[in-house]
Amino acid sequence: MTVAYWIVGVLLGLFYLYSGGIKAVRSPEKLKPMMAWVDTVPLPALRALGVVEVLGALGLLLPPLTGIAPWLAIAAAAGLVLLQIGAMRLHLSRGEVRETGLNIALIVLAAAAVWLGTVWV
């Protein structure tokens, strides 16, 4: 179970470090080609979303690595499930049904991290 958690955790961590990092620092004009929804979200909310994603990625990786409060990894994974549910709602409200495939995959991976974390801790 530990190996499975690390595979899922590292994949999610890398995804959210990149995704959150670019949301936190890039201009909305540079993000728009990749994320058409950025024009509907205020800039402070976009920056906050990026920071939350980076913190979620760090929460998946650092507690198990350090052995300090490993339950935080489970909380981070659960938070990422909620984040993706919100992202899915945004896409569906904009009529972007095709874009929800990635959201579903990320929900499944984060839910797997929650489950693996509860078995592992």
Side-chain angles (χ1 to χ4, degrees):
M1 290 299 176
T2 303
V3 172
Y5 175 83
W6 279 110
I7 291 170
V8 172
V10 167
L11 287 174
L12 281 172
L14 290 173
F15 177 83
Y16 283 111
L17 281 174
Y18 174 74
S19 175
I22 63 172
K23 288 176 190 143
V25 298
R26 282 195 187 165
S27 69
E29 294 79 31
K30 288 187 178 180
L31 290 173
K32 188 151 173 71
M34 293 183 290
M35 305 169 195
W37 55 268
V38 297
D39 59 350
T40 62
V41 177
L43 184 59
L46 179 66
R47 299 291 186 232
L49 179 61
V51 170
V52 166
E53 288 183 3
V54 169
L55 290 175
L58 294 175
L60 286 173
L61 303 174
L62 291 180
L65 273 176
T66 62
I68 300 170
W71 58 269
L72 285 174
I74 299 166
L80 292 173
V81 168
L82 295 175
L83 181 88
Q84 285 305 315
I85 290 171
M88 224 165 107
R89 287 187 62 208
L90 175 74
H91 286 302
L92 291 173
S93 72
R94 292 175 45 92
E96 301 169 343
V97 177
R98 285 186 173 170
E99 282 77 8
T100 59
L102 178 60
N103 300 121
I104 292 168
L106 291 169
I107 289 170
V108 168
L109 283 173
V114 169
W115 179 73
L116 289 167
T118 57
V119 172
W120 169 58
V121 169

Short mmCIF file of all heavy atoms in Angstrom, two decimals, residues 33-100:
data_model
loop_
_atom_site.label_atom_id
_atom_site.label_comp_id
_atom_site.label_asym_id
_atom_site.label_seq_id
_atom_site.Cartn_x
_atom_site.Cartn_y
_atom_site.Cartn_z
N PRO A 33 -5.04 30.54 -23.14
CA PRO A 33 -5.01 29.47 -24.15
C PRO A 33 -5.13 28.06 -23.56
O PRO A 33 -5.65 27.15 -24.19
CB PRO A 33 -3.65 29.65 -24.82
CG PRO A 33 -3.29 31.06 -24.58
CD PRO A 33 -3.88 31.43 -23.25
N MET A 34 -4.66 27.88 -22.32
CA MET A 34 -4.72 26.56 -21.68
C MET A 34 -5.99 26.39 -20.87
O MET A 34 -6.48 25.29 -20.70
CB MET A 34 -3.54 26.37 -20.73
CG MET A 34 -2.20 26.30 -21.40
SD MET A 34 -0.88 25.99 -20.20
CE MET A 34 -0.84 27.53 -19.31
N MET A 35 -6.48 27.51 -20.30
CA MET A 35 -7.61 27.47 -19.38
C MET A 35 -8.57 28.60 -19.76
O MET A 35 -8.41 29.73 -19.30
CB MET A 35 -7.13 27.67 -17.93
CG MET A 35 -6.09 26.70 -17.50
SD MET A 35 -5.37 27.20 -15.94
CE MET A 35 -3.92 26.18 -15.89
N ALA A 36 -9.55 28.28 -20.57
CA ALA A 36 -10.46 29.31 -21.08
C ALA A 36 -11.29 29.95 -19.98
O ALA A 36 -11.80 31.06 -20.16
CB ALA A 36 -11.38 28.70 -22.14
N TRP A 37 -11.40 29.33 -18.85
CA TRP A 37 -12.26 29.81 -17.76
C TRP A 37 -11.63 30.93 -16.95
O TRP A 37 -12.31 31.55 -16.14
CB TRP A 37 -12.62 28.65 -16.83
CG TRP A 37 -11.43 27.93 -16.29
CD1 TRP A 37 -10.84 26.82 -16.83
CD2 TRP A 37 -10.67 28.25 -15.14
NE1 TRP A 37 -9.76 26.44 -16.08
CE2 TRP A 37 -9.64 27.31 -15.02
CE3 TRP A 37 -10.77 29.25 -14.17
CZ2 TRP A 37 -8.70 27.34 -14.00
CZ3 TRP A 37 -9.84 29.27 -13.15
CH2 TRP A 37 -8.82 28.33 -13.07
N VAL A 38 -10.36 31.23 -17.14
CA VAL A 38 -9.70 32.22 -16.28
C VAL A 38 -10.32 33.61 -16.40
O VAL A 38 -10.22 34.40 -15.48
CB VAL A 38 -8.17 32.30 -16.50
CG1 VAL A 38 -7.50 31.00 -16.14
CG2 VAL A 38 -7.83 32.72 -17.91
N ASP A 39 -10.98 33.88 -17.51
CA ASP A 39 -11.59 35.21 -17.66
C ASP A 39 -12.85 35.37 -16.81
O ASP A 39 -13.33 36.48 -16.61
CB ASP A 39 -11.91 35.50 -19.13
CG ASP A 39 -12.84 34.47 -19.75
OD1 ASP A 39 -13.09 33.44 -19.12
OD2 ASP A 39 -13.31 34.72 -20.88
N THR A 40 -13.37 34.27 -16.27
CA THR A 40 -14.57 34.35 -15.44
C THR A 40 -14.26 34.42 -13.95
O THR A 40 -15.18 34.53 -13.14
CB THR A 40 -15.49 33.13 -15.69
OG1 THR A 40 -14.81 31.95 -15.32
CG2 THR A 40 -15.90 33.05 -17.15
N VAL A 41 -12.98 34.33 -13.61
CA VAL A 41 -12.57 34.30 -12.21
C VAL A 41 -11.72 35.55 -11.91
O VAL A 41 -10.82 35.87 -12.68
CB VAL A 41 -11.74 33.02 -11.93
CG1 VAL A 41 -11.22 32.98 -10.52
CG2 VAL A 41 -12.56 31.79 -12.24
N PRO A 42 -12.00 36.25 -10.83
CA PRO A 42 -11.17 37.41 -10.48
C PRO A 42 -9.72 36.98 -10.23
O PRO A 42 -9.46 35.87 -9.77
CB PRO A 42 -11.79 37.94 -9.19
CG PRO A 42 -13.13 37.31 -9.08
CD PRO A 42 -13.09 36.05 -9.89
N LEU A 43 -8.78 37.87 -10.53
CA LEU A 43 -7.37 37.56 -10.40
C LEU A 43 -6.99 37.10 -8.98
O LEU A 43 -6.27 36.11 -8.84
CB LEU A 43 -6.50 38.75 -10.83
CG LEU A 43 -5.00 38.50 -10.83
CD1 LEU A 43 -4.64 37.36 -11.77
CD2 LEU A 43 -4.27 39.76 -11.23
N PRO A 44 -7.47 37.76 -7.91
CA PRO A 44 -7.11 37.26 -6.58
C PRO A 44 -7.60 35.83 -6.33
O PRO A 44 -6.91 35.04 -5.68
CB PRO A 44 -7.78 38.25 -5.63
CG PRO A 44 -7.94 39.50 -6.42
CD PRO A 44 -8.17 39.04 -7.83
N ALA A 45 -8.76 35.49 -6.86
CA ALA A 45 -9.28 34.12 -6.69
C ALA A 45 -8.42 33.13 -7.48
O ALA A 45 -8.16 32.02 -7.00
CB ALA A 45 -10.73 34.05 -7.14
N LEU A 46 -7.98 33.53 -8.67
CA LEU A 46 -7.11 32.67 -9.46
C LEU A 46 -5.80 32.42 -8.75
O LEU A 46 -5.31 31.28 -8.67
CB LEU A 46 -6.86 33.31 -10.84
CG LEU A 46 -5.95 32.54 -11.79
CD1 LEU A 46 -6.61 31.24 -12.21
CD2 LEU A 46 -5.63 33.40 -12.99
N ARG A 47 -5.22 33.48 -8.19
CA ARG A 47 -3.96 33.34 -7.44
C ARG A 47 -4.16 32.46 -6.20
O ARG A 47 -3.33 31.60 -5.89
CB ARG A 47 -3.44 34.71 -7.01
CG ARG A 47 -3.11 35.63 -8.15
CD ARG A 47 -1.92 35.15 -8.94
NE ARG A 47 -1.56 36.14 -9.94
CZ ARG A 47 -1.40 35.86 -11.22
NH1 ARG A 47 -1.55 34.64 -11.65
NH2 ARG A 47 -1.07 36.81 -12.07
N ALA A 48 -5.27 32.67 -5.49
CA ALA A 48 -5.56 31.86 -4.31
C ALA A 48 -5.73 30.39 -4.68
O ALA A 48 -5.25 29.49 -3.97
CB ALA A 48 -6.80 32.38 -3.60
N LEU A 49 -6.40 30.14 -5.79
CA LEU A 49 -6.58 28.76 -6.27
C LEU A 49 -5.23 28.12 -6.54
O LEU A 49 -4.99 26.96 -6.18
CB LEU A 49 -7.45 28.75 -7.52
CG LEU A 49 -7.73 27.42 -8.17
CD1 LEU A 49 -8.47 26.51 -7.20
CD2 LEU A 49 -8.55 27.61 -9.42
N GLY A 50 -4.34 28.86 -7.17
CA GLY A 50 -2.99 28.34 -7.43
C GLY A 50 -2.25 28.00 -6.14
O GLY A 50 -1.61 26.95 -6.03
N VAL A 51 -2.35 28.88 -5.16
CA VAL A 51 -1.69 28.64 -3.87
C VAL A 51 -2.29 27.42 -3.19
O VAL A 51 -1.56 26.58 -2.63
CB VAL A 51 -1.76 29.89 -2.97
CG1 VAL A 51 -1.32 29.59 -1.57
CG2 VAL A 51 -0.94 31.02 -3.58
N VAL A 52 -3.60 27.28 -3.24
CA VAL A 52 -4.26 26.11 -2.63
C VAL A 52 -3.79 24.82 -3.30
O VAL A 52 -3.53 23.83 -2.63
CB VAL A 52 -5.80 26.26 -2.70
CG1 VAL A 52 -6.50 24.95 -2.40
CG2 VAL A 52 -6.26 27.35 -1.76
N GLU A 53 -3.65 24.84 -4.61
CA GLU A 53 -3.19 23.64 -5.32
C GLU A 53 -1.75 23.30 -4.94
O GLU A 53 -1.43 22.12 -4.72
CB GLU A 53 -3.31 23.83 -6.83
CG GLU A 53 -4.74 23.80 -7.31
CD GLU A 53 -4.86 23.91 -8.82
OE1 GLU A 53 -3.82 23.96 -9.52
OE2 GLU A 53 -6.00 23.95 -9.31
N VAL A 54 -0.90 24.30 -4.84
CA VAL A 54 0.49 24.05 -4.44
C VAL A 54 0.54 23.51 -3.00
O VAL A 54 1.26 22.55 -2.71
CB VAL A 54 1.35 25.33 -4.59
CG1 VAL A 54 2.71 25.15 -3.93
CG2 VAL A 54 1.51 25.69 -6.06
N LEU A 55 -0.25 24.11 -2.11
CA LEU A 55 -0.29 23.62 -0.73
C LEU A 55 -0.83 22.20 -0.65
O LEU A 55 -0.35 21.38 0.14
CB LEU A 55 -1.12 24.56 0.14
CG LEU A 55 -0.51 25.93 0.41
CD1 LEU A 55 -1.50 26.81 1.17
CD2 LEU A 55 0.80 25.81 1.16
N GLY A 56 -1.82 21.88 -1.49
CA GLY A 56 -2.35 20.52 -1.54
C GLY A 56 -1.28 19.53 -1.99
O GLY A 56 -1.16 18.43 -1.43
N ALA A 57 -0.51 19.92 -3.00
CA ALA A 57 0.57 19.05 -3.47
C ALA A 57 1.61 18.82 -2.38
O ALA A 57 2.05 17.70 -2.15
CB ALA A 57 1.23 19.67 -4.71
N LEU A 58 1.99 19.90 -1.70
CA LEU A 58 2.95 19.77 -0.61
C LEU A 58 2.39 18.93 0.53
O LEU A 58 3.11 18.15 1.16
CB LEU A 58 3.37 21.15 -0.11
CG LEU A 58 4.16 22.00 -1.11
CD1 LEU A 58 4.40 23.38 -0.54
CD2 LEU A 58 5.45 21.32 -1.53
N GLY A 59 1.07 19.08 0.77
CA GLY A 59 0.41 18.29 1.81
C GLY A 59 0.38 16.81 1.50
O GLY A 59 0.37 15.97 2.41
N LEU A 60 0.34 16.47 0.23
CA LEU A 60 0.38 15.06 -0.15
C LEU A 60 1.75 14.44 0.08
O LEU A 60 1.86 13.25 0.39
CB LEU A 60 0.04 14.90 -1.64
CG LEU A 60 -1.39 15.07 -2.08
CD1 LEU A 60 -1.47 15.05 -3.59
CD2 LEU A 60 -2.26 13.99 -1.48
N LEU A 61 2.79 15.25 -0.06
CA LEU A 61 4.14 14.70 -0.09
C LEU A 61 4.94 14.90 1.20
O LEU A 61 5.61 13.99 1.66
CB LEU A 61 4.91 15.31 -1.27
CG LEU A 61 4.27 15.11 -2.65
CD1 LEU A 61 5.02 15.87 -3.71
CD2 LEU A 61 4.19 13.64 -2.99
N LEU A 62 4.89 16.09 1.77
CA LEU A 62 5.77 16.39 2.90
C LEU A 62 5.44 15.63 4.19
O LEU A 62 6.36 15.11 4.83
CB LEU A 62 5.80 17.90 3.16
CG LEU A 62 6.50 18.72 2.07
CD1 LEU A 62 6.49 20.20 2.43
CD2 LEU A 62 7.92 18.23 1.84
N PRO A 63 4.17 15.55 4.62
CA PRO A 63 3.92 14.81 5.87
C PRO A 63 4.39 13.35 5.83
O PRO A 63 5.06 12.91 6.76
CB PRO A 63 2.41 14.93 6.06
CG PRO A 63 2.06 16.20 5.38
CD PRO A 63 2.96 16.25 4.17
N PRO A 64 4.10 12.61 4.76
CA PRO A 64 4.61 11.23 4.75
C PRO A 64 6.15 11.17 4.67
O PRO A 64 6.76 10.28 5.24
CB PRO A 64 3.98 10.60 3.51
CG PRO A 64 2.80 11.44 3.20
CD PRO A 64 3.17 12.82 3.65
N LEU A 65 6.75 12.12 3.96
CA LEU A 65 8.20 12.13 3.85
C LEU A 65 8.88 12.40 5.19
O LEU A 65 9.88 11.78 5.53
CB LEU A 65 8.66 13.20 2.85
CG LEU A 65 8.74 12.80 1.39
CD1 LEU A 65 9.11 14.00 0.53
CD2 LEU A 65 9.71 11.68 1.17
N THR A 66 8.32 13.34 5.94
CA THR A 66 8.94 13.73 7.20
C THR A 66 8.47 12.88 8.37
O THR A 66 9.13 12.86 9.41
CB THR A 66 8.63 15.21 7.51
OG1 THR A 66 7.22 15.36 7.66
CG2 THR A 66 9.16 16.13 6.44
N GLY A 67 7.32 12.23 8.22
CA GLY A 67 6.75 11.46 9.32
C GLY A 67 6.05 12.33 10.34
O GLY A 67 5.60 11.85 11.37
N ILE A 68 5.94 13.62 10.05
CA ILE A 68 5.27 14.55 10.96
C ILE A 68 3.83 14.71 10.50
O ILE A 68 3.57 15.14 9.38
CB ILE A 68 5.97 15.93 10.97
CG1 ILE A 68 7.42 15.76 11.44
CG2 ILE A 68 5.22 16.92 11.84
CD1 ILE A 68 8.27 16.99 11.27
N ALA A 69 2.90 14.35 11.37
CA ALA A 69 1.46 14.46 11.11
C ALA A 69 1.07 13.88 9.75
O ALA A 69 0.53 14.57 8.90
CB ALA A 69 1.02 15.92 11.21
N PRO A 70 1.31 12.58 9.53
CA PRO A 70 0.98 11.98 8.23
C PRO A 70 -0.50 12.04 7.88
O PRO A 70 -0.87 11.94 6.71
CB PRO A 70 1.46 10.54 8.35
CG PRO A 70 1.74 10.31 9.78
CD PRO A 70 1.93 11.63 10.44
N TRP A 71 -1.37 12.26 8.88
CA TRP A 71 -2.80 12.39 8.59
C TRP A 71 -3.07 13.62 7.72
O TRP A 71 -4.12 13.69 7.07
CB TRP A 71 -3.59 12.47 9.90
CG TRP A 71 -3.18 13.61 10.77
CD1 TRP A 71 -2.23 13.58 11.74
CD2 TRP A 71 -3.68 14.94 10.73
NE1 TRP A 71 -2.10 14.82 12.31
CE2 TRP A 71 -2.98 15.68 11.71
CE3 TRP A 71 -4.63 15.59 9.96
CZ2 TRP A 71 -3.21 17.03 11.92
CZ3 TRP A 71 -4.87 16.94 10.19
CH2 TRP A 71 -4.16 17.65 11.16
N LEU A 72 -2.13 14.58 7.69
CA LEU A 72 -2.32 15.75 6.84
C LEU A 72 -2.35 15.38 5.35
O LEU A 72 -2.99 16.07 4.55
CB LEU A 72 -1.22 16.78 7.09
CG LEU A 72 -1.33 17.57 8.37
CD1 LEU A 72 -0.11 18.45 8.57
CD2 LEU A 72 -2.60 18.40 8.37
N ALA A 73 -1.68 14.30 4.98
CA ALA A 73 -1.71 13.84 3.59
C ALA A 73 -3.13 13.41 3.21
O ALA A 73 -3.59 13.69 2.09
CB ALA A 73 -0.73 12.70 3.39
N ILE A 74 -3.82 12.76 4.13
CA ILE A 74 -5.21 12.35 3.87
C ILE A 74 -6.09 13.59 3.74
O ILE A 74 -6.93 13.68 2.83
CB ILE A 74 -5.70 11.44 5.00
CG1 ILE A 74 -4.85 10.18 5.07
CG2 ILE A 74 -7.18 11.09 4.81
CD1 ILE A 74 -5.04 9.37 6.33
N ALA A 75 -5.88 14.57 4.61
CA ALA A 75 -6.66 15.82 4.54
C ALA A 75 -6.38 16.55 3.24
O ALA A 75 -7.30 17.09 2.61
CB ALA A 75 -6.33 16.70 5.74
N ALA A 76 -5.13 16.58 2.81
CA ALA A 76 -4.79 17.25 1.55
C ALA A 76 -5.46 16.55 0.37
O ALA A 76 -6.01 17.21 -0.53
CB ALA A 76 -3.27 17.27 1.37
N ALA A 77 -5.43 15.23 0.36
CA ALA A 77 -6.06 14.48 -0.74
C ALA A 77 -7.57 14.72 -0.75
O ALA A 77 -8.17 14.91 -1.82
CB ALA A 77 -5.75 13.00 -0.61
N ALA A 78 -8.19 14.74 0.43
CA ALA A 78 -9.63 15.02 0.49
C ALA A 78 -9.93 16.43 0.01
O ALA A 78 -10.92 16.67 -0.70
CB ALA A 78 -10.13 14.82 1.92
N GLY A 79 -9.07 17.37 0.36
CA GLY A 79 -9.24 18.74 -0.12
C GLY A 79 -9.13 18.83 -1.63
O GLY A 79 -9.87 19.60 -2.27
N LEU A 80 -8.25 18.04 -2.21
CA LEU A 80 -8.10 18.05 -3.67
C LEU A 80 -9.32 17.42 -4.35
O LEU A 80 -9.70 17.83 -5.46
CB LEU A 80 -6.81 17.35 -4.08
CG LEU A 80 -5.53 18.09 -3.67
CD1 LEU A 80 -4.30 17.25 -3.97
CD2 LEU A 80 -5.44 19.45 -4.34
N VAL A 81 -9.95 16.45 -3.70
CA VAL A 81 -11.21 15.91 -4.23
C VAL A 81 -12.25 17.02 -4.29
O VAL A 81 -12.92 17.23 -5.32
CB VAL A 81 -11.73 14.73 -3.38
CG1 VAL A 81 -13.16 14.36 -3.76
CG2 VAL A 81 -10.83 13.51 -3.51
N LEU A 82 -12.38 17.77 -3.20
CA LEU A 82 -13.35 18.87 -3.16
C LEU A 82 -13.01 19.95 -4.18
O LEU A 82 -13.90 20.51 -4.82
CB LEU A 82 -13.40 19.47 -1.75
CG LEU A 82 -13.92 18.54 -0.66
CD1 LEU A 82 -13.79 19.21 0.71
CD2 LEU A 82 -15.35 18.13 -0.94
N LEU A 83 -11.74 20.24 -4.34
CA LEU A 83 -11.31 21.23 -5.32
C LEU A 83 -11.74 20.82 -6.73
O LEU A 83 -12.26 21.64 -7.50
CB LEU A 83 -9.79 21.38 -5.26
CG LEU A 83 -9.18 22.38 -6.20
CD1 LEU A 83 -9.17 23.75 -5.55
CD2 LEU A 83 -7.78 21.97 -6.59
N GLN A 84 -11.55 19.55 -7.06
CA GLN A 84 -11.92 19.09 -8.40
C GLN A 84 -13.43 19.01 -8.60
O GLN A 84 -13.92 19.19 -9.71
CB GLN A 84 -11.27 17.74 -8.69
CG GLN A 84 -9.80 17.85 -8.99
CD GLN A 84 -9.50 18.83 -10.11
OE1 GLN A 84 -10.15 18.84 -11.16
NE2 GLN A 84 -8.51 19.68 -9.88
N ILE A 85 -14.17 18.76 -7.54
CA ILE A 85 -15.63 18.81 -7.66
C ILE A 85 -16.06 20.23 -8.01
O ILE A 85 -16.90 20.44 -8.89
CB ILE A 85 -16.30 18.30 -6.37
CG1 ILE A 85 -16.08 16.80 -6.23
CG2 ILE A 85 -17.79 18.64 -6.36
CD1 ILE A 85 -16.50 16.22 -4.89
N GLY A 86 -15.44 21.20 -7.37
CA GLY A 86 -15.72 22.60 -7.70
C GLY A 86 -15.31 22.94 -9.13
O GLY A 86 -16.03 23.67 -9.83
N ALA A 87 -14.17 22.43 -9.56
CA ALA A 87 -13.72 22.68 -10.93
C ALA A 87 -14.68 22.07 -11.94
O ALA A 87 -14.98 22.67 -12.98
CB ALA A 87 -12.32 22.10 -11.12
N MET A 88 -15.18 20.88 -11.62
CA MET A 88 -16.15 20.24 -12.50
C MET A 88 -17.43 21.05 -12.60
O MET A 88 -17.99 21.21 -13.69
CB MET A 88 -16.46 18.83 -11.98
CG MET A 88 -16.48 17.81 -13.07
SD MET A 88 -16.40 16.18 -12.36
CE MET A 88 -18.06 15.68 -12.63
N ARG A 89 -17.87 21.59 -11.47
CA ARG A 89 -19.07 22.43 -11.47
C ARG A 89 -18.86 23.65 -12.35
O ARG A 89 -19.77 24.06 -13.08
CB ARG A 89 -19.42 22.86 -10.05
CG ARG A 89 -19.99 21.73 -9.22
CD ARG A 89 -20.49 22.21 -7.89
NE ARG A 89 -21.58 23.17 -8.07
CZ ARG A 89 -21.87 24.13 -7.22
NH1 ARG A 89 -21.18 24.28 -6.12
NH2 ARG A 89 -22.87 24.95 -7.45
N LEU A 90 -17.67 24.26 -12.28
CA LEU A 90 -17.37 25.42 -13.12
C LEU A 90 -17.44 25.05 -14.59
O LEU A 90 -18.08 25.75 -15.39
CB LEU A 90 -16.00 25.99 -12.77
CG LEU A 90 -15.54 27.14 -13.68
CD1 LEU A 90 -16.32 28.41 -13.34
CD2 LEU A 90 -14.05 27.36 -13.56
N HIS A 91 -16.81 23.95 -14.96
CA HIS A 91 -16.82 23.53 -16.37
C HIS A 91 -18.23 23.22 -16.84
O HIS A 91 -18.63 23.61 -17.95
CB HIS A 91 -15.92 22.32 -16.58
CG HIS A 91 -14.47 22.63 -16.54
ND1 HIS A 91 -13.86 23.55 -17.37
CD2 HIS A 91 -13.48 22.17 -15.75
CE1 HIS A 91 -12.58 23.63 -17.11
NE2 HIS A 91 -12.32 22.79 -16.11
N LEU A 92 -19.00 22.53 -16.04
CA LEU A 92 -20.37 22.19 -16.44
C LEU A 92 -21.24 23.44 -16.55
O LEU A 92 -22.08 23.53 -17.45
CB LEU A 92 -20.98 21.18 -15.47
CG LEU A 92 -20.36 19.78 -15.51
CD1 LEU A 92 -20.93 18.91 -14.40
CD2 LEU A 92 -20.58 19.14 -16.87
N SER A 93 -21.02 24.42 -15.67
CA SER A 93 -21.81 25.65 -15.76
C SER A 93 -21.48 26.44 -17.01
O SER A 93 -22.30 27.21 -17.50
CB SER A 93 -21.57 26.53 -14.52
OG SER A 93 -20.28 27.11 -14.55
N ARG A 94 -20.28 26.24 -17.55
CA ARG A 94 -19.88 26.91 -18.79
C ARG A 94 -20.18 26.06 -20.03
O ARG A 94 -19.86 26.45 -21.14
CB ARG A 94 -18.39 27.23 -18.75
CG ARG A 94 -18.01 28.27 -17.73
CD ARG A 94 -16.51 28.46 -17.64
NE ARG A 94 -15.81 28.54 -18.88
CZ ARG A 94 -15.54 29.68 -19.53
NH1 ARG A 94 -15.90 30.82 -19.01
NH2 ARG A 94 -14.89 29.65 -20.68
N GLY A 95 -20.78 24.90 -19.83
CA GLY A 95 -21.10 24.02 -20.95
C GLY A 95 -19.89 23.28 -21.50
O GLY A 95 -19.92 22.79 -22.62
N GLU A 96 -18.85 23.16 -20.71
CA GLU A 96 -17.61 22.51 -21.14
C GLU A 96 -17.57 21.07 -20.64
O GLU A 96 -16.77 20.71 -19.78
CB GLU A 96 -16.40 23.29 -20.62
CG GLU A 96 -16.35 24.71 -21.08
CD GLU A 96 -15.30 25.54 -20.35
OE1 GLU A 96 -14.83 25.14 -19.27
OE2 GLU A 96 -14.98 26.61 -20.87
N VAL A 97 -18.42 20.25 -21.20
CA VAL A 97 -18.54 18.87 -20.74
C VAL A 97 -17.27 18.08 -21.04
O VAL A 97 -16.84 17.25 -20.24
CB VAL A 97 -19.78 18.20 -21.38
CG1 VAL A 97 -19.89 16.74 -20.97
CG2 VAL A 97 -21.03 18.96 -21.00
N ARG A 98 -16.63 18.34 -22.17
CA ARG A 98 -15.43 17.60 -22.54
C ARG A 98 -14.29 17.80 -21.55
O ARG A 98 -13.48 16.91 -21.34
CB ARG A 98 -14.95 18.03 -23.92
CG ARG A 98 -15.78 17.49 -25.03
CD ARG A 98 -15.17 17.83 -26.35
NE ARG A 98 -15.89 17.19 -27.42
CZ ARG A 98 -15.71 17.45 -28.68
NH1 ARG A 98 -14.83 18.36 -29.04
NH2 ARG A 98 -16.41 16.82 -29.59
N GLU A 99 -14.22 18.97 -20.95
CA GLU A 99 -13.13 19.28 -20.03
C GLU A 99 -13.26 18.55 -18.69
O GLU A 99 -12.33 18.55 -17.90
CB GLU A 99 -13.03 20.79 -19.79
CG GLU A 99 -12.37 21.55 -20.91
CD GLU A 99 -13.25 21.74 -22.13
OE1 GLU A 99 -14.46 21.41 -22.05
OE2 GLU A 99 -12.76 22.22 -23.15
N THR A 100 -14.41 17.95 -18.44
CA THR A 100 -14.61 17.30 -17.14
C THR A 100 -13.90 15.94 -17.03
O THR A 100 -13.79 15.40 -15.95
CB THR A 100 -16.10 17.12 -16.82
OG1 THR A 100 -16.70 16.32 -17.84
CG2 THR A 100 -16.80 18.46 -16.72
#
